[in-house]
Amino acid sequence: MTGAESLAVLVPAAWAAVVVAAAMRWRPAPQRVRALPVRGGAAAGDGRGTTGVPRPGRAGLRSAAGGLLEALGAWLLRLAHRPPAPATARRLGTAVAAAAVLVPVLPLASPVAALVAWALPGVWAGAVERRRVAALAADLPDVVDLLTLAVGAGLTVGLAVAHVARRGSGPLTVELRQVTEDVALGRRLADALDDLPARAGEAVRPLVGALVASERYGAPLVTSLERLADEVRRDRRRRAEEAARKVPVKLLFPLVACTLPAFGLLTVAPLIASAVRSLRV
């Protein structure tokens, strides 16, 4: 039996084993268990039944597949005497699985599939991180305005941060809630604020600098926040204008890919067909 024939047998067998293992792991609870009364008050909408037994779902199957791929990658890394880091192991396992699936069908495309499977998680994670940082930067003007109002009303820096974190709903206020939780656990407010740019991006560093300077050295805060609010509003307006100028360029791709072929089929194709017909005659 050749290598391709062996893979043609092993890959379906491995896939069947994965399906059976996932079905056994996330199978529904028996009827006698579902009929038991609720204990502990399972919250509605948490993916559990009336007895708190987890229900099978896409997230569970996805995590099971990810765990198997990570185990495969960790095993390969241990064979190569490399430390089995979880992220690297999952990417390696995904690349090997993609190559193994395509080897019996398209052997020449399996290296390309492995490279794509290896690079895609990093590209996806980078795009998600850029969207998160952009959302935090977009929420910055509103947070600065709220802090300006709170400090102008006579609140201290700690009370103003806690008030905005409690009343706001944007992604930056979630990071401010983390700051208030750290302060509640005993950290100094200035030290907790110093960690904020590492989580929320460099766009919040001017705000953190103004808050820390006021907390540590008693620097006037209202004037700094008003100036910062004007700057971040102008920066947001500039980004909006930049995005609006990019729209015509982005519209060229669907225009060329969708409209131009249809226009060619309606105008040029009949002329070519009539010319070919006249040549045959």
Side-chain angles (χ1 to χ4, degrees):
M1 184 179 291
T2 63
E5 292 175 349
S6 301
L7 286 174
V9 174
L10 291 176
V11 170
W15 178 250
V18 170
V19 172
V20 171
M24 293 296 294
R25 173 64 179 82
W26 284 279
R27 66 185 185 276
Q31 184 176 1
R32 59 182 178 82
V33 176
R34 292 197 298 267
L36 294 175
V38 179
R39 290 183 297 179
D46 61 351
R48 299 172 179 268
T50 56
T51 61
V53 178
R55 293 179 179 175
R58 294 181 180 179
L61 295 177
R62 195 182 303 120
S63 63
L68 290 174
L69 294 176
E70 184 176 340
L72 174 61
W75 177 70
L76 293 174
L77 288 174
R78 281 193 293 269
L79 288 180
H81 303 287
R82 300 289 300 274
T88 305
R90 179 169 294 194
R91 292 175 65 183
L92 180 59
T94 305
V96 171
V101 169
L102 283 182
V103 161
V105 184
L106 296 173
L108 297 179
S110 58
V112 179
L115 290 176
V116 171
W118 172 265
L120 190 60
V123 175
W124 180 262
V128 170
E129 180 63 20
R130 286 192 296 271
R131 286 196 296 268
R132 188 185 72 87
V133 172
L136 289 166
D139 192 35
L140 180 60
D142 299 333
V143 171
V144 173
D145 289 337
L146 290 174
L147 286 173
T148 304
L149 291 174
V151 174
L155 297 181
T156 62
V157 177
L159 292 176
V161 171
H163 183 77
V164 174
R166 186 171 60 252
R167 294 298 182 89
S169 59
L172 187 54
T173 56
V174 176
E175 299 295 337
L176 292 179
R177 290 193 197 103
Q178 180 64 42
V179 171
T180 57
E181 290 175 2
D182 292 343
V183 172
L185 292 175
R187 292 192 68 187
R188 293 181 57 188
L189 177 61
D191 296 337
L193 287 171
D194 283 335
D195 297 338
L196 188 58
R199 302 193 306 266
E202 293 298 319
V204 303
R205 190 170 293 278
L207 174 62
V208 171
L211 295 175
V212 169
S214 178
E215 174 68 16
R216 284 179 176 168
Y217 311 115
L221 186 57
V222 177
T223 305
S224 301
L225 288 178
E226 289 176 350
R227 183 173 62 252
L228 181 60
D230 183 63
E231 292 176 359
V232 295
R233 278 195 296 267
R234 283 186 296 175
D235 184 64
R236 182 168 64 177
R237 188 182 305 112
R238 183 169 59 252
R239 288 199 304 267
E241 292 174 354
E242 180 182 355
R245 286 194 296 268
K246 289 180 180 178
V247 169
V249 179
K250 293 180 179 179
L251 287 177
L252 288 177
F253 297 99
L255 179 65
V256 173
C258 301
T259 307
L260 189 60
F263 178 78
L265 288 175
L266 291 175
T267 57
V268 181
L271 296 178
I272 296 176
S274 61
V276 171
R277 193 180 302 110
S278 62
L279 288 176
R280 288 180 180 177
V281 174

